[in-house]
Amino acid sequence: MKYTTRQYGMFVIALLITAVFLFPIYWMITTSVKPIQDVFATPPMIFPETIQFSAYIKNIVEDQSILLYLKNSLIIAIGTSLLTLLLALPAAYAMARFRLKGSGIFLLILLVTQMVPGIMTAMPLFILFSHFNLLNSYVALIIGNTTLALPFAILIMRPFFLSIPRGLEDAAVIDGCNRFTAFVKVVLPLTKPTLLTVGTFSFLFAWGDLIFALTLATDEKIRPLTMGLTKFIGQYGTQWDGLMAVSTIAAAPIIIMFILLQKYIVSGITAGSEK
C-alpha cells in the first residue's frame, strides 16, 4: 500500500504533536531516576547518564507512608466511579427514553456545571458535610468527586441510549419483560463501551483531585495521593527526585488503564454521536 506525500506529512505532524504531549511524562520519569546533581545540571540533561532508583527505594520501601495515600486514592477513585455509574445510568436512560418536562433545561444546567470550577463547590460541601459529621471520611471525598463526574457521565451516556433502537426493548416487553428487566437484559449489555468510558474518566477525576482533598479532609489517614505529593514541596526547596518518583507511581495506574481500555474509551466517547 502506497502512501501519498500528504499522508506522510500528516503522520509526521501527528508524531510531533504526540511527542510534545508525551515529553512531560518522559521528563518526569527520567528525573525520578537521575542523581540529584544531574537534576540541576546546566544545560538540562535530556538523556540521563546515570540511572538510579534511590528515590523509589526511599519513598516506597524505607518510608511507606506513601502507600497509605495510594490506598486512600484507590478507595476514593473506585468509590467515585461506582457511585457515578449508579446515579448516571438511570438518569441518562430516563432522559433518553422518556419525555420529561424541563429535560432541556436540565441538560443546559449539566452543561453549565461543567464550566463551574471545583473550588466553588468545595466550600458549600464543606459546610454541608460539617453538619452531618462527614468531614474526614471517604464518603465525603467520594460524594465531592461524584458531583464533578456525574454531569459529564450523564452527557456522555444519554446520546448512547438515544442511539439504541426502541424496538429492542419493545420486543423484550412482548416476550414478557417489564421495563426494568428489558433495561437490564437488553440495554445494559450494550452499554459496555460507555460504562468503561464513564468509569475510567470518573476514576481519573477522583484520582487527580486536590481541591476536595484539601477542604474535606484534614486527617492524614484519609487524604489521597495528591496530598502526599505536597510533602515534597517545602519552604526551603523541593525534593525533585522524590516528587517525580511518587508522581510516576501516581500516573502509572492512569496510563495503564488508558492503554488497556483505549479501544473501549474511544468507541464509548463516539457512541451515539450521530444523534
Side-chain angles (χ1 to χ4, degrees):
M1 182 177 179
K2 294 183 178 181
Y3 295 96
T4 64
T5 304
R6 177 184 174 85
Q7 289 174 321
Y8 276 115
M10 294 298 294
F11 174 77
V12 171
I13 293 174
L15 194 62
L16 290 174
I17 294 175
T18 303
V20 169
F21 279 97
L22 291 181
F23 183 77
I25 298 177
Y26 167 80
W27 191 255
M28 175 183 68
I29 296 173
T30 55
T31 302
S32 70
V33 296
K34 288 179 183 178
I36 191 63
Q37 62 271 16
D38 291 349
V39 174
F40 298 100
T42 304
M45 299 175 61
I46 303 299
F47 304 101
E49 295 179 355
T50 304
I51 295 178
Q52 63 180 27
F53 298 94
S54 58
Y56 291 92
I57 296 173
K58 178 182 177 181
N59 294 286
I60 298 176
V61 179
E62 297 177 359
D63 182 6
Q64 298 185 351
S65 61
I66 293 299
L67 297 180
L68 175 62
Y69 292 113
L70 184 62
K71 183 199 74 171
N72 293 338
S73 287
L74 285 173
I75 293 174
I76 295 167
I78 294 174
T80 300
S81 296
L82 294 177
L83 182 59
T84 300
L85 290 173
L86 183 64
L87 297 176
L89 264 173
Y93 179 77
M95 294 184 66
R97 282 292 184 261
F98 306 115
R99 294 183 177 179
L100 304 174
K101 291 184 178 180
S103 59
I105 297 176
F106 183 67
L107 279 175
L108 179 61
I109 293 174
L110 291 178
L111 288 171
V112 171
T113 56
Q114 295 294 286
M115 296 180 282
V116 176
I119 190 64
M120 295 184 65
T121 61
M123 186 54 63
L125 287 176
F126 176 85
I127 297 173
L128 178 65
F129 291 155
S130 63
H131 287 297
F132 292 96
N133 295 321
L134 289 176
L135 295 177
N136 290 318
S137 67
Y138 292 127
V139 174
L141 293 173
I142 289 172
I143 294 176
N145 286 292
T146 301
T147 59
L148 297 181
L150 187 59
F152 169 82
I154 296 175
L155 292 173
I156 288 293
M157 298 179 74
R158 178 180 172 272
F160 180 81
F161 286 127
L162 287 172
S163 68
I164 299 177
R166 290 177 177 267
L168 295 176
E169 296 166 78
D170 294 337
V173 172
I174 293 174
D175 289 338
C177 294
N178 56 35
R179 178 65 65 176
F180 177 76
T181 55
F183 170 77
V184 173
K185 294 182 179 181
V186 178
V187 178
L188 196 57
L190 299 175
T191 63
K192 181 180 178 181
T194 304
L195 290 179
L196 289 174
T197 301
V198 171
T200 301
F201 277 97
S202 300
F203 185 96
L204 176 62
F205 292 156
W207 187 264
D209 168 65
L210 180 62
I211 295 173
F212 294 126
L214 278 171
T215 55
L216 303 181
T218 57
D219 189 349
E220 293 295 326
K221 295 181 180 179
I222 302 297
R223 284 183 159 180
L225 189 57
T226 48
M227 288 301 302
L229 294 174
T230 61
K231 293 175 58 178
F232 298 96
I233 304 173
Q235 181 179 0
Y236 301 104
T238 301
Q239 304 175 40
W240 288 108
D241 54 344
L243 178 62
M244 293 298 105
V246 177
S247 297
T248 300
I249 296 172
I254 300 299
I255 295 173
I256 294 172
M257 184 180 298
F258 272 89
I259 291 175
L260 295 178
L261 302 177
Q262 59 179 329
K263 179 178 68 175
Y264 300 103
I265 292 174
V266 172
S267 62
I269 292 176
T270 57
S273 59
E274 70 275 6
K275 292 291 183 180

CSV table of all heavy atoms in Angstrom, one decimal, residues 142-199:
chain,number,residue,atom,x,y,z
A,142,ILE,N,-15.7,10.9,48.2
A,142,ILE,CA,-16.4,10.2,47.1
A,142,ILE,C,-17.6,11.0,46.6
A,142,ILE,O,-17.7,11.2,45.4
A,142,ILE,CB,-16.8,8.8,47.6
A,142,ILE,CG1,-15.6,7.9,47.8
A,142,ILE,CG2,-17.8,8.2,46.5
A,142,ILE,CD1,-16.0,6.6,48.4
A,143,ILE,N,-18.4,11.6,47.5
A,143,ILE,CA,-19.5,12.4,47.1
A,143,ILE,C,-19.0,13.7,46.4
A,143,ILE,O,-19.6,14.1,45.4
A,143,ILE,CB,-20.4,12.7,48.3
A,143,ILE,CG1,-21.1,11.4,48.8
A,143,ILE,CG2,-21.5,13.7,47.9
A,143,ILE,CD1,-21.9,11.6,50.1
A,144,GLY,N,-18.0,14.3,47.0
A,144,GLY,CA,-17.5,15.5,46.4
A,144,GLY,C,-17.0,15.3,45.0
A,144,GLY,O,-17.3,16.1,44.1
A,145,ASN,N,-16.2,14.2,44.7
A,145,ASN,CA,-15.7,14.0,43.4
A,145,ASN,C,-16.9,13.5,42.5
A,145,ASN,O,-16.8,13.8,41.2
A,145,ASN,CB,-14.7,12.9,43.4
A,145,ASN,CG,-13.4,13.4,44.0
A,145,ASN,OD1,-12.7,14.2,43.4
A,145,ASN,ND2,-13.0,12.9,45.2
A,146,THR,N,-17.9,12.9,43.0
A,146,THR,CA,-19.0,12.5,42.2
A,146,THR,C,-19.8,13.7,41.6
A,146,THR,O,-20.3,13.7,40.5
A,146,THR,CB,-20.0,11.6,43.0
A,146,THR,OG1,-19.3,10.4,43.4
A,146,THR,CG2,-21.2,11.1,42.1
A,147,THR,N,-19.8,14.8,42.4
A,147,THR,CA,-20.5,16.0,41.9
A,147,THR,C,-19.9,16.6,40.7
A,147,THR,O,-20.5,17.2,39.9
A,147,THR,CB,-20.5,17.1,43.0
A,147,THR,OG1,-19.2,17.4,43.4
A,147,THR,CG2,-21.3,16.6,44.3
A,148,LEU,N,-18.6,16.3,40.5
A,148,LEU,CA,-17.9,16.8,39.3
A,148,LEU,C,-18.0,15.8,38.2
A,148,LEU,O,-18.1,16.2,37.0
A,148,LEU,CB,-16.4,17.0,39.6
A,148,LEU,CG,-16.1,18.1,40.6
A,148,LEU,CD1,-14.6,18.3,40.8
A,148,LEU,CD2,-16.7,19.5,40.2
A,149,ALA,N,-18.0,14.5,38.5
A,149,ALA,CA,-18.1,13.5,37.4
A,149,ALA,C,-19.5,13.2,36.9
A,149,ALA,O,-19.6,12.8,35.8
A,149,ALA,CB,-17.4,12.2,38.0
A,150,LEU,N,-20.5,13.4,37.7
A,150,LEU,CA,-21.8,13.0,37.4
A,150,LEU,C,-22.4,13.7,36.1
A,150,LEU,O,-22.9,13.1,35.2
A,150,LEU,CB,-22.8,13.2,38.6
A,150,LEU,CG,-24.2,12.6,38.4
A,150,LEU,CD1,-24.2,11.1,38.1
A,150,LEU,CD2,-25.0,12.9,39.7
A,151,PRO,N,-22.3,15.1,36.1
A,151,PRO,CA,-22.8,15.8,34.9
A,151,PRO,C,-22.1,15.3,33.6
A,151,PRO,O,-22.8,15.1,32.6
A,151,PRO,CB,-22.5,17.2,35.1
A,151,PRO,CG,-22.4,17.3,36.6
A,151,PRO,CD,-21.8,16.0,37.1
A,152,PHE,N,-20.8,15.1,33.6
A,152,PHE,CA,-20.1,14.6,32.5
A,152,PHE,C,-20.6,13.2,32.1
A,152,PHE,O,-20.8,12.9,30.9
A,152,PHE,CB,-18.6,14.5,32.8
A,152,PHE,CG,-17.8,13.7,31.8
A,152,PHE,CD1,-17.3,14.3,30.6
A,152,PHE,CD2,-17.4,12.4,32.0
A,152,PHE,CE1,-16.6,13.6,29.7
A,152,PHE,CE2,-16.7,11.7,31.1
A,152,PHE,CZ,-16.3,12.3,29.9
A,153,ALA,N,-20.8,12.3,33.1
A,153,ALA,CA,-21.3,11.0,32.8
A,153,ALA,C,-22.7,11.0,32.1
A,153,ALA,O,-22.9,10.2,31.2
A,153,ALA,CB,-21.3,10.2,34.1
A,154,ILE,N,-23.6,11.8,32.6
A,154,ILE,CA,-24.9,11.8,32.0
A,154,ILE,C,-24.9,12.3,30.6
A,154,ILE,O,-25.5,11.8,29.7
A,154,ILE,CB,-25.8,12.7,32.9
A,154,ILE,CG1,-26.0,12.1,34.3
A,154,ILE,CG2,-27.2,12.9,32.2
A,154,ILE,CD1,-26.8,13.0,35.2
A,155,LEU,N,-24.0,13.4,30.3
A,155,LEU,CA,-23.9,13.9,29.0
A,155,LEU,C,-23.3,12.9,28.0
A,155,LEU,O,-23.6,12.9,26.8
A,155,LEU,CB,-23.1,15.2,29.0
A,155,LEU,CG,-23.7,16.4,29.7
A,155,LEU,CD1,-22.7,17.5,29.9
A,155,LEU,CD2,-25.0,16.9,29.0
A,156,ILE,N,-22.4,12.1,28.5
A,156,ILE,CA,-21.8,11.0,27.6
A,156,ILE,C,-22.8,9.9,27.4
A,156,ILE,O,-22.9,9.4,26.3
A,156,ILE,CB,-20.5,10.5,28.3
A,156,ILE,CG1,-19.4,11.6,28.2
A,156,ILE,CG2,-20.0,9.3,27.6
A,156,ILE,CD1,-18.9,11.9,26.8
A,157,MET,N,-23.5,9.5,28.4
A,157,MET,CA,-24.4,8.3,28.3
A,157,MET,C,-25.7,8.5,27.6
A,157,MET,O,-26.2,7.6,26.9
A,157,MET,CB,-24.6,7.7,29.7
A,157,MET,CG,-23.3,7.3,30.4
A,157,MET,SD,-23.6,6.6,32.1
A,157,MET,CE,-24.3,5.0,31.6
A,158,ARG,N,-26.2,9.7,27.7
A,158,ARG,CA,-27.5,10.0,27.1
A,158,ARG,C,-27.5,9.8,25.6
A,158,ARG,O,-28.4,9.1,25.0
A,158,ARG,CB,-28.0,11.4,27.4
A,158,ARG,CG,-29.3,11.8,26.8
A,158,ARG,CD,-29.7,13.2,27.2
A,158,ARG,NE,-30.9,13.6,26.4
A,158,ARG,CZ,-30.8,14.2,25.2
A,158,ARG,NH1,-29.7,14.4,24.7
A,158,ARG,NH2,-31.9,14.6,24.6
A,159,PRO,N,-26.6,10.3,24.8
A,159,PRO,CA,-26.6,10.1,23.4
A,159,PRO,C,-26.5,8.6,23.0
A,159,PRO,O,-27.0,8.1,22.0
A,159,PRO,CB,-25.4,10.8,22.9
A,159,PRO,CG,-25.1,11.9,23.9
A,159,PRO,CD,-25.5,11.2,25.2
A,160,PHE,N,-25.8,7.8,23.8
A,160,PHE,CA,-25.7,6.4,23.5
A,160,PHE,C,-27.0,5.7,23.7
A,160,PHE,O,-27.4,4.9,22.8
A,160,PHE,CB,-24.6,5.7,24.5
A,160,PHE,CG,-24.5,4.3,24.2
A,160,PHE,CD1,-23.7,3.8,23.2
A,160,PHE,CD2,-25.1,3.3,25.0
A,160,PHE,CE1,-23.5,2.4,23.0
A,160,PHE,CE2,-25.0,2.0,24.8
A,160,PHE,CZ,-24.2,1.5,23.7
A,161,PHE,N,-27.8,6.0,24.7
A,161,PHE,CA,-29.1,5.4,24.9
A,161,PHE,C,-30.0,5.9,23.7
A,161,PHE,O,-30.9,5.1,23.3
A,161,PHE,CB,-29.7,5.8,26.2
A,161,PHE,CG,-29.1,5.1,27.4
A,161,PHE,CD1,-28.6,5.8,28.5
A,161,PHE,CD2,-29.0,3.7,27.4
A,161,PHE,CE1,-28.0,5.2,29.6
A,161,PHE,CE2,-28.4,3.1,28.5
A,161,PHE,CZ,-27.9,3.8,29.6
A,162,LEU,N,-29.8,7.1,23.3
A,162,LEU,CA,-30.7,7.5,22.1
A,162,LEU,C,-30.4,6.8,20.9
A,162,LEU,O,-31.2,6.6,20.0
A,162,LEU,CB,-30.4,9.0,21.9
A,162,LEU,CG,-31.0,10.0,22.9
A,162,LEU,CD1,-30.5,11.4,22.6
A,162,LEU,CD2,-32.5,10.0,22.9
A,163,SER,N,-29.1,6.2,20.7
A,163,SER,CA,-28.7,5.5,19.5
A,163,SER,C,-29.2,4.1,19.5
A,163,SER,O,-29.2,3.4,18.5
A,163,SER,CB,-27.2,5.5,19.4
A,163,SER,OG,-26.6,4.8,20.4
A,164,ILE,N,-29.7,3.6,20.7
A,164,ILE,CA,-30.2,2.2,20.8
A,164,ILE,C,-31.7,2.2,20.3
A,164,ILE,O,-32.5,2.9,20.9
A,164,ILE,CB,-30.1,1.6,22.2
A,164,ILE,CG1,-28.6,1.6,22.6
A,164,ILE,CG2,-30.7,0.2,22.3
A,164,ILE,CD1,-28.4,1.2,24.1
A,165,PRO,N,-32.0,1.4,19.3
A,165,PRO,CA,-33.4,1.3,18.9
A,165,PRO,C,-34.4,0.9,20.0
A,165,PRO,O,-34.2,0.0,20.7
A,165,PRO,CB,-33.4,0.3,17.7
A,165,PRO,CG,-32.0,0.2,17.3
A,165,PRO,CD,-31.2,0.5,18.6
A,166,ARG,N,-35.5,1.6,20.0
A,166,ARG,CA,-36.5,1.3,21.0
A,166,ARG,C,-37.1,-0.1,20.7
A,166,ARG,O,-37.7,-0.7,21.6
A,166,ARG,CB,-37.7,2.3,20.9
A,166,ARG,CG,-37.3,3.7,21.5
A,166,ARG,CD,-38.5,4.7,21.3
A,166,ARG,NE,-38.2,6.0,21.9
A,166,ARG,CZ,-38.5,6.3,23.2
A,166,ARG,NH1,-39.1,5.5,23.9
A,166,ARG,NH2,-38.2,7.5,23.6
A,167,GLY,N,-37.1,-0.5,19.5
A,167,GLY,CA,-37.6,-1.8,19.1
A,167,GLY,C,-37.0,-3.0,19.9
A,167,GLY,O,-37.7,-4.0,20.1
A,168,LEU,N,-35.8,-2.8,20.3
A,168,LEU,CA,-35.2,-3.9,21.1
A,168,LEU,C,-35.9,-4.1,22.4
A,168,LEU,O,-36.2,-5.2,22.9
A,168,LEU,CB,-33.7,-3.6,21.3
A,168,LEU,CG,-32.8,-3.6,20.1
A,168,LEU,CD1,-31.4,-3.2,20.4
A,168,LEU,CD2,-32.8,-5.0,19.4
A,169,GLU,N,-36.2,-3.0,23.1
A,169,GLU,CA,-36.9,-3.0,24.3
A,169,GLU,C,-38.3,-3.4,24.1
A,169,GLU,O,-38.9,-4.2,25.0
A,169,GLU,CB,-36.8,-1.7,25.0
A,169,GLU,CG,-35.4,-1.3,25.4
A,169,GLU,CD,-35.3,0.2,25.8
A,169,GLU,OE1,-35.7,0.6,26.9
A,169,GLU,OE2,-34.8,1.0,24.9
A,170,ASP,N,-39.0,-3.0,23.1
A,170,ASP,CA,-40.4,-3.3,22.8
A,170,ASP,C,-40.5,-4.8,22.6
A,170,ASP,O,-41.4,-5.5,23.0
A,170,ASP,CB,-40.9,-2.6,21.6
A,170,ASP,CG,-41.0,-1.1,21.9
A,170,ASP,OD1,-41.1,-0.7,23.0
A,170,ASP,OD2,-41.0,-0.3,20.9
A,171,ALA,N,-39.5,-5.4,21.9
A,171,ALA,CA,-39.5,-6.8,21.6
A,171,ALA,C,-39.3,-7.6,22.9
A,171,ALA,O,-40.0,-8.7,23.2
A,171,ALA,CB,-38.4,-7.2,20.7
A,172,ALA,N,-38.5,-7.1,23.8
A,172,ALA,CA,-38.3,-7.7,25.1
A,172,ALA,C,-39.6,-7.7,26.0
A,172,ALA,O,-39.9,-8.6,26.7
A,172,ALA,CB,-37.1,-7.1,25.9
A,173,VAL,N,-40.3,-6.6,25.9
A,173,VAL,CA,-41.6,-6.4,26.6
A,173,VAL,C,-42.6,-7.4,26.1
A,173,VAL,O,-43.4,-8.0,26.9
A,173,VAL,CB,-42.1,-5.0,26.5
A,173,VAL,CG1,-43.5,-4.8,27.1
A,173,VAL,CG2,-41.1,-4.0,27.3
A,174,ILE,N,-42.6,-7.6,24.8
A,174,ILE,CA,-43.6,-8.5,24.2
A,174,ILE,C,-43.3,-10.0,24.6
A,174,ILE,O,-44.2,-10.8,24.9
A,174,ILE,CB,-43.5,-8.4,22.6
A,174,ILE,CG1,-44.1,-7.1,22.2
A,174,ILE,CG2,-44.3,-9.6,22.0
A,174,ILE,CD1,-43.9,-6.8,20.7
A,175,ASP,N,-42.0,-10.2,24.8
A,175,ASP,CA,-41.5,-11.6,25.3
A,175,ASP,C,-41.8,-11.8,26.8
A,175,ASP,O,-41.4,-12.8,27.3
A,175,ASP,CB,-40.1,-11.8,25.0
A,175,ASP,CG,-39.8,-12.0,23.5
A,175,ASP,OD1,-40.8,-12.3,22.8
A,175,ASP,OD2,-38.7,-11.7,23.0
A,176,GLY,N,-42.3,-10.8,27.5
A,176,GLY,CA,-42.6,-11.0,28.9
A,176,GLY,C,-41.8,-10.1,29.9
A,176,GLY,O,-42.1,-10.2,31.1
A,177,CYS,N,-40.9,-9.3,29.4
A,177,CYS,CA,-40.1,-8.5,30.3
A,177,CYS,C,-40.9,-7.2,30.6
A,177,CYS,O,-41.7,-6.8,29.8
A,177,CYS,CB,-38.8,-8.1,29.7
A,177,CYS,SG,-37.6,-9.5,29.4
A,178,ASN,N,-40.6,-6.7,31.8
A,178,ASN,CA,-41.1,-5.4,32.1
A,178,ASN,C,-40.0,-4.3,31.7
A,178,ASN,O,-39.0,-4.7,31.2
A,178,ASN,CB,-41.5,-5.2,33.6
A,178,ASN,CG,-40.4,-5.6,34.5
A,178,ASN,OD1,-39.2,-5.3,34.2
A,178,ASN,ND2,-40.7,-6.2,35.7
A,179,ARG,N,-40.3,-3.1,32.0
A,179,ARG,CA,-39.4,-2.0,31.5
A,179,ARG,C,-38.0,-2.2,32.2
A,179,ARG,O,-37.0,-2.0,31.6
A,179,ARG,CB,-39.9,-0.7,31.8
A,179,ARG,CG,-39.1,0.5,31.5
A,179,ARG,CD,-38.8,0.6,30.0
A,179,ARG,NE,-40.0,1.0,29.3
A,179,ARG,CZ,-40.1,1.2,28.0
A,179,ARG,NH1,-39.0,1.1,27.2
A,179,ARG,NH2,-41.2,1.5,27.4
A,180,PHE,N,-38.0,-2.6,33.5
A,180,PHE,CA,-36.7,-2.7,34.2
A,180,PHE,C,-35.9,-3.9,33.7
A,180,PHE,O,-34.7,-3.8,33.5
A,180,PHE,CB,-37.0,-2.8,35.7
A,180,PHE,CG,-35.8,-3.0,36.5
A,180,PHE,CD1,-34.9,-1.9,36.8
A,180,PHE,CD2,-35.4,-4.3,37.0
A,180,PHE,CE1,-33.7,-2.1,37.5
A,180,PHE,CE2,-34.3,-4.4,37.8
A,180,PHE,CZ,-33.4,-3.4,38.0
A,181,THR,N,-36.6,-5.0,33.6
A,181,THR,CA,-35.9,-6.2,33.1
A,181,THR,C,-35.4,-6.1,31.7
A,181,THR,O,-34.4,-6.6,31.3
A,181,THR,CB,-36.7,-7.5,33.3
A,181,THR,OG1,-38.0,-7.3,32.6
A,181,THR,CG2,-37.0,-7.8,34.7
A,182,ALA,N,-36.2,-5.4,30.9
A,182,ALA,CA,-35.7,-5.1,29.5
A,182,ALA,C,-34.5,-4.3,29.5
A,182,ALA,O,-33.6,-4.5,28.7
A,182,ALA,CB,-36.9,-4.4,28.7
A,183,PHE,N,-34.4,-3.3,30.4
A,183,PHE,CA,-33.2,-2.5,30.5
A,183,PHE,C,-32.0,-3.3,30.9
A,183,PHE,O,-30.9,-3.2,30.4
A,183,PHE,CB,-33.5,-1.3,31.5
A,183,PHE,CG,-32.2,-0.6,31.9
A,183,PHE,CD1,-31.7,0.4,31.0
A,183,PHE,CD2,-31.6,-0.8,33.1
A,183,PHE,CE1,-30.6,1.1,31.3
A,183,PHE,CE2,-30.5,0.0,33.4
A,183,PHE,CZ,-30.0,0.9,32.5
A,184,VAL,N,-32.2,-4.2,31.9
A,184,VAL,CA,-31.1,-4.9,32.5
A,184,VAL,C,-30.6,-6.0,31.5
A,184,VAL,O,-29.4,-6.2,31.3
A,184,VAL,CB,-31.5,-5.6,33.8
A,184,VAL,CG1,-30.4,-6.6,34.3
A,184,VAL,CG2,-31.8,-4.5,34.9
A,185,LYS,N,-31.6,-6.7,30.8
A,185,LYS,CA,-31.2,-7.8,30.0
A,185,LYS,C,-30.9,-7.4,28.5
A,185,LYS,O,-30.1,-8.1,27.9
A,185,LYS,CB,-32.3,-8.8,30.0
A,185,LYS,CG,-32.6,-9.5,31.3
A,185,LYS,CD,-33.7,-10.6,31.2
A,185,LYS,CE,-33.9,-11.2,32.6
A,185,LYS,NZ,-34.9,-12.3,32.5
A,186,VAL,N,-31.4,-6.3,28.1
A,186,VAL,CA,-31.2,-5.9,26.7
A,186,VAL,C,-30.3,-4.7,26.5
A,186,VAL,O,-29.3,-4.7,25.8
A,186,VAL,CB,-32.6,-5.7,26.0
A,186,VAL,CG1,-32.4,-5.2,24.5
A,186,VAL,CG2,-33.4,-6.9,26.0
A,187,VAL,N,-30.7,-3.6,27.2
A,187,VAL,CA,-29.9,-2.4,27.0
A,187,VAL,C,-28.6,-2.4,27.7
A,187,VAL,O,-27.6,-2.0,27.2
A,187,VAL,CB,-30.8,-1.2,27.5
A,187,VAL,CG1,-30.0,0.1,27.4
A,187,VAL,CG2,-32.1,-1.1,26.7
A,188,LEU,N,-28.6,-2.8,29.0
A,188,LEU,CA,-27.4,-2.7,29.8
A,188,LEU,C,-26.2,-3.5,29.2
A,188,LEU,O,-25.1,-2.9,29.2
A,188,LEU,CB,-27.6,-3.2,31.2
A,188,LEU,CG,-26.6,-2.8,32.3
A,188,LEU,CD1,-26.5,-1.3,32.3
A,188,LEU,CD2,-27.0,-3.4,33.6
A,189,PRO,N,-26.4,-4.7,28.6
A,189,PRO,CA,-25.2,-5.4,28.0
A,189,PRO,C,-24.6,-4.6,26.8
A,189,PRO,O,-23.5,-4.8,26.5
A,189,PRO,CB,-25.8,-6.7,27.5
A,189,PRO,CG,-27.0,-6.9,28.4
A,189,PRO,CD,-27.6,-5.6,28.7
A,190,LEU,N,-25.4,-3.7,26.2
A,190,LEU,CA,-24.9,-3.0,25.0
A,190,LEU,C,-24.1,-1.7,25.4
A,190,LEU,O,-23.5,-1.1,24.6
A,190,LEU,CB,-26.1,-2.5,24.2
A,190,LEU,CG,-27.0,-3.6,23.5
A,190,LEU,CD1,-28.2,-3.0,22.8
A,190,LEU,CD2,-26.1,-4.5,22.6
A,191,THR,N,-24.1,-1.4,26.7
A,191,THR,CA,-23.5,-0.2,27.2
A,191,THR,C,-22.1,-0.4,27.7
A,191,THR,O,-21.5,0.5,28.3
A,191,THR,CB,-24.4,0.5,28.3
A,191,THR,OG1,-24.4,-0.5,29.4
A,191,THR,CG2,-25.8,0.7,27.9
A,192,LYS,N,-21.5,-1.5,27.4
A,192,LYS,CA,-20.1,-1.8,27.9
A,192,LYS,C,-19.1,-0.7,27.6
A,192,LYS,O,-18.4,-0.2,28.5
A,192,LYS,CB,-19.7,-3.2,27.5
A,192,LYS,CG,-18.3,-3.5,28.0
A,192,LYS,CD,-17.8,-4.9,27.4
A,192,LYS,CE,-16.4,-5.2,27.9
A,192,LYS,NZ,-16.0,-6.5,27.4
A,193,PRO,N,-19.0,-0.3,26.3
A,193,PRO,CA,-18.0,0.8,26.0
A,193,PRO,C,-18.3,2.1,26.7
A,193,PRO,O,-17.4,2.7,27.2
A,193,PRO,CB,-18.2,1.0,24.5
A,193,PRO,CG,-18.8,-0.3,24.0
A,193,PRO,CD,-19.7,-0.8,25.1
A,194,THR,N,-19.6,2.5,26.8
A,194,THR,CA,-19.9,3.7,27.5
A,194,THR,C,-19.6,3.6,29.0
A,194,THR,O,-19.2,4.5,29.7
A,194,THR,CB,-21.4,4.1,27.3
A,194,THR,OG1,-21.6,4.2,25.9
A,194,THR,CG2,-21.7,5.4,27.9
A,195,LEU,N,-20.0,2.4,29.6
A,195,LEU,CA,-19.7,2.2,31.0
A,195,LEU,C,-18.2,2.3,31.3
A,195,LEU,O,-17.8,2.9,32.3
A,195,LEU,CB,-20.3,0.9,31.5
A,195,LEU,CG,-21.8,0.7,31.5
A,195,LEU,CD1,-22.2,-0.7,31.9
A,195,LEU,CD2,-22.4,1.7,32.5
A,196,LEU,N,-17.4,1.7,30.5
A,196,LEU,CA,-16.0,1.7,30.7
A,196,LEU,C,-15.4,3.2,30.5
A,196,LEU,O,-14.6,3.6,31.3
A,196,LEU,CB,-15.3,0.8,29.7
A,196,LEU,CG,-15.5,-0.7,30.0
A,196,LEU,CD1,-14.8,-1.5,28.9
A,196,LEU,CD2,-14.8,-1.1,31.3
A,197,THR,N,-16.0,3.9,29.6
A,197,THR,CA,-15.6,5.3,29.4
A,197,THR,C,-15.9,6.1,30.6
A,197,THR,O,-15.0,6.9,31.1
A,197,THR,CB,-16.2,5.8,28.1
A,197,THR,OG1,-15.9,5.0,27.0
A,197,THR,CG2,-15.8,7.3,27.9
A,198,VAL,N,-17.1,6.1,31.0
A,198,VAL,CA,-17.6,6.9,32.1
A,198,VAL,C,-16.8,6.5,33.4
A,198,VAL,O,-16.4,7.3,34.2
A,198,VAL,CB,-19.1,6.8,32.3
A,198,VAL,CG1,-19.5,7.4,33.6
A,198,VAL,CG2,-19.8,7.4,31.2
A,199,GLY,N,-16.7,5.2,33.6
A,199,GLY,CA,-16.0,4.7,34.8
A,199,GLY,C,-14.5,5.1,34.8
A,199,GLY,O,-14.0,5.5,35.8
